[in-house]
Amino acid sequence: MDTNLRNFLEIPYDELEELNLEAKEKVARRTSDDELREYYLRYLQEEKRIKAVTVCFTDIEGRFHMLDYDKKFLIKSYDNLTFDGSSIRGFSVVKESDLRLEIDWGSFRWLPSDVFGPGKVMVFSLIKDRDGRFYQSDMRGRLKSFCDNLYSSKGIVANIAVECEGFLFEGRDAEQSFNELGGFKLVSSSGYYNSLPRDPLKIFIDQLAEAQRAMAFENEKDHPEVAPSQFELNYTYCDALLAADQVQLYKLTARQIAANAGLTASFLPKPIAGINGSGMHTNLSLSQNGKNLFFDAKGEDGLSPAAWDFIDRLLNNANDICLIMNSSVNAYRRLDPNFEAPNQIRSSPVDRTSMIRIPLGNAKSARVEVRTVAPDANPYLAFLAILDTGLNGPKNDQAVSENRRSRTRFLPGSIYDAVRLCKSSEWVTEMLGELPKEKFIERKVASADRCPKELGTLVKTGEVIFHHEVSNQHIWKNF
């Protein structure tokens, strides 16, 4: 068909950025849901060049799902979008399969057409059960409710920015065809900061940065990371729900840009033994009426008592929530102190092998950096666990000093140890609820049981192709 016959929406990058920044600002001003819905429905009706709306949700493991709805259908049926939850691993069983998607209109985003195709916009959704209540296993909905309650009850906003690392490999779908004897093939041998401007890795980073800028990530810096063919792009902090949405968009956009070039962007925590793995360092602070509650110029390491209380609760419950922050077999390869990995349950302003680092900061930037989060964690679940634990988790006052500075306590060394500790945790049960906790652990055990029980020094085929973020329906349906 002659493409000149089509007139689909394609917006220049500078205009995209303006539109998406305005959309973020509407949410920051706490525009009501009704007003947002009315605004975007009117826009969809008036903009004739949009053909479809991509509606997204995330399952309990963190896998990203997308459905394209014809625009005209969505305008008529936006309040009755259903899907089969029994087809999503970790969601409902067959006898309770019908679930409903409720559009979160504040997450409306315009997409770069050269990456995602013309004529589409994207919106995130919340999941509701048959009876209209929010679905317990929808961690995006759980995080949204937590943040909304935190603001309505105390006027507190949770601010998060992540440093999400990944690798760029030769070949499209390199994870699906992984073989432990051949391993992954790197596209670049350069290291930290020193890739040439037209190096394949740097070209990829530049394209990803441009797309992020257009989607209003508000970029700060980007660069190759320590390991060869490894990348990291940093962007400014925002509220916790938007930060989790941006993690999903960051990985989706990276994968699509890589695929467009015949390459693979991978967020396995440790895809190659013997070199640095990838983390998702999670920087967070709390603010109230624009004031950073974590800053105290006279406090220890420049932090307030509220920040130290947050840290102490995280350290006290570190083993309980480790599975949430490191939810794959491969993640436990990364927790190796020989590669700057944070496996020690303690805090430090300088030691990067500590679970929590306290970056140098001021009244604006003072924060807590949780270094143990892997890039394949469900960001909604991980942020919920960190925030809820830091604010409400059990605290052992007698162990505070030891937890902060001790070198004797370590995070679990394998997913089986992490499962055992999470399973026995009363705090995780209280935080998530018995059924969601059971579903999450069940998925983690199923994945672990398809992999060798001992990690060894060789990255095994099973821990890659059965990884929850690797799309391989042909293999999974055999189990």
Side-chain angles (χ1 to χ4, degrees):
M1 180 183 292
D2 187 346
T3 56
N4 291 328
L5 297 176
R6 302 169 180 170
N7 184 25
F8 293 143
L9 185 66
E10 296 184 87
I11 304 175
Y13 272 42
D14 56 343
E15 293 180 26
L16 278 175
E17 184 177 13
E18 291 179 10
L19 287 168
N20 287 321
L21 284 172
E22 182 183 350
K24 285 178 68 174
E25 181 60 26
K26 289 180 187 297
V27 177
R29 293 198 307 264
R30 302 199 171 268
T31 306
S32 72
D33 292 340
D34 290 344
E35 188 176 340
L36 290 170
R37 180 179 63 251
E38 181 181 344
Y39 177 86
Y40 289 115
L41 282 174
R42 184 168 61 249
Y43 170 79
L44 290 174
Q45 289 172 332
E46 293 175 354
E47 177 53 78
K48 305 302 182 185
R49 295 172 296 169
I50 292 177
K51 60 183 176 182
V53 178
T54 301
V55 179
C56 312
F57 68 92
T58 298
D59 66 26
I60 198 168
E61 292 185 273
R63 193 180 298 102
F64 199 46
H65 299 267
M66 296 171 287
L67 302 89
D68 275 7
Y69 285 97
D70 181 86
K71 184 191 74 171
K72 294 177 182 178
F73 173 82
L74 183 126
I75 290 172
K76 293 185 297 183
S77 306
Y78 69 88
D79 58 350
N80 189 35
L81 305 178
T82 62
F83 71 101
D84 180 4
S86 65
S87 298
I88 307 299
R89 296 198 298 275
F91 270 15
S92 59
V93 295
V94 173
K95 65 181 180 181
E96 53 170 22
S97 60
D98 286 345
L99 295 173
R100 178 171 283 112
L101 296 174
E102 180 178 283
I103 292 176
D104 184 356
W105 292 100
S107 66
F108 194 99
R109 292 296 180 270
W110 288 263
L111 304 172
S113 59
D114 59 331
V115 178
F116 294 95
K120 291 184 181 181
V121 290
M122 176 179 282
V123 67
F124 287 78
S125 65
L126 305 166
I127 301 176
K128 286 192 170 182
D129 217 329
R130 292 176 62 91
D131 59 6
R133 293 183 298 180
F134 284 108
Y135 188 52
Q136 271 196 315
S137 296
D138 174 25
M139 293 303 155
R140 187 180 188 277
R142 297 284 294 272
L143 178 61
K144 178 175 171 58
S145 294
F146 181 90
C147 292
D148 288 347
N149 291 337
L150 188 63
Y151 183 80
S152 61
S153 63
K154 299 179 180 180
I156 292 176
V157 176
N159 306 297
I160 292 181
V162 301
E163 304 165 51
C164 188
E165 299 164 328
F167 279 89
L168 189 65
F169 297 133
E170 287 189 10
R172 189 165 179 166
D173 299 327
E175 294 162 326
Q176 284 90 328
S177 58
F178 177 82
N179 182 289
E180 61 196 65
L181 297 179
F184 291 109
K185 294 181 180 179
L186 304 174
V187 302
S188 172
S189 59
S190 298
Y192 212 26
Y193 298 157
N194 65 356
S195 284
L196 293 171
R198 300 303 291 172
D199 181 275
L201 177 62
K202 197 65 178 71
I203 292 173
F204 162 80
I205 291 174
D206 287 347
Q207 291 176 343
L208 179 54
E210 289 169 3
Q212 285 185 184
R213 192 175 298 113
M215 290 189 287
F217 274 60
E218 298 177 85
N219 296 6
E220 292 185 348
K221 67 177 184 292
D222 56 70
H223 55 84
E225 255 296 339
V226 173
S229 211
Q230 191 180 33
F231 61 88
E232 178 185 305
L233 289 83
N234 302 145
Y235 42 89
T236 195
Y237 68 87
C238 53
D239 74 88
L241 182 66
L242 177 54
D245 287 346
Q246 290 188 161
V247 170
Q248 298 295 64
L249 280 177
Y250 173 86
K251 293 195 285 187
L252 175 69
T253 307
R255 289 184 171 116
Q256 188 59 63
I257 289 173
N260 290 348
L263 305 171
T264 297
S266 174
F267 295 96
L268 291 165
K270 188 83 168 184
I272 301 173
I275 61 175
N276 285 48
S278 292
M280 188 171 72
H281 305 155
T282 300
N283 297 268
L284 62 99
S285 64
L286 303 177
S287 62
Q288 189 177 51
N289 298 322
K291 178 184 177 182
N292 186 348
L293 299 180
F294 277 8
F295 177 69
D296 184 345
K298 298 180 180 180
E300 183 182 354
D301 295 324
L303 293 185
S304 67
W308 279 113
D309 184 74
F310 193 96
I311 290 171
D312 292 337
R313 292 177 193 276
L314 278 178
L315 294 176
N316 190 55
N317 300 281
N319 281 324
D320 298 54
I321 63 173
C322 183
L323 182 67
I324 292 172
M325 297 186 292
N326 297 274
S327 57
S328 67
V329 172
N330 187 255
Y332 294 86
R333 293 187 180 279
R334 171 181 165 259
L335 298 180
D336 181 344
N338 293 315
F339 296 95
E340 301 181 23
N343 70 333
Q344 297 185 38
I345 303 176
R346 67 191 203 94
S347 63
S348 171
V350 291
D351 187 351
R352 293 175 183 270
T353 65
S354 299
M355 173 182 165
I356 293 177
R357 189 172 79 91
I358 303 154
L360 188 65
N362 55 26
K364 181 180 179 181
S365 63
R367 63 196 186 276
V368 169
E369 179 187 351
V370 184
R371 294 179 56 81
T372 48
V373 187
D376 58 349
N378 180 338
Y380 305 101
L381 176 55
F383 295 171
L384 174 65
I386 291 170
L387 289 169
D388 202 354
T389 302
L391 288 168
N392 306 308
K395 181 181 174 184
N396 183 348
D397 290 326
Q398 293 181 342
V400 163
S401 178
E402 178 186 351
N403 281 341
R404 288 185 185 177
R405 305 301 184 191
S406 172
R407 292 180 179 271
T408 60
R409 296 181 67 224
F410 296 90
L411 291 169
S414 75
I415 195 170
Y416 286 103
D417 288 340
V419 164
R420 174 178 54 81
L421 291 164
C422 185
K423 195 171 186 178
S424 63
S425 171
E426 294 180 4
W427 165 241
V428 175
T429 304
E430 179 184 338
M431 178 172 58
L432 299 183
E434 193 166 338
L435 185 57
K437 173 185 172 181
E438 181 182 321
K439 287 180 177 181
F440 180 71
I441 290 176
E442 180 183 83
R443 298 316 314 158
K444 298 300 97 184
V445 171
S447 178
D449 285 347
R450 296 179 182 117
C451 304
K453 290 186 181 294
E454 297 296 330
L455 288 177
T457 58
L458 187 71
V459 176
K460 311 298 193 301
T461 300
E463 71 189 86
V464 176
I465 63 173
F466 295 130
H467 189 278
H468 60 268
E469 286 195 334
V470 174
S471 302
N472 201 327
Q473 294 299 320
H474 174 70
I475 290 179
W476 273 105
K477 73 179 182 181
N478 293 323
F479 293 92

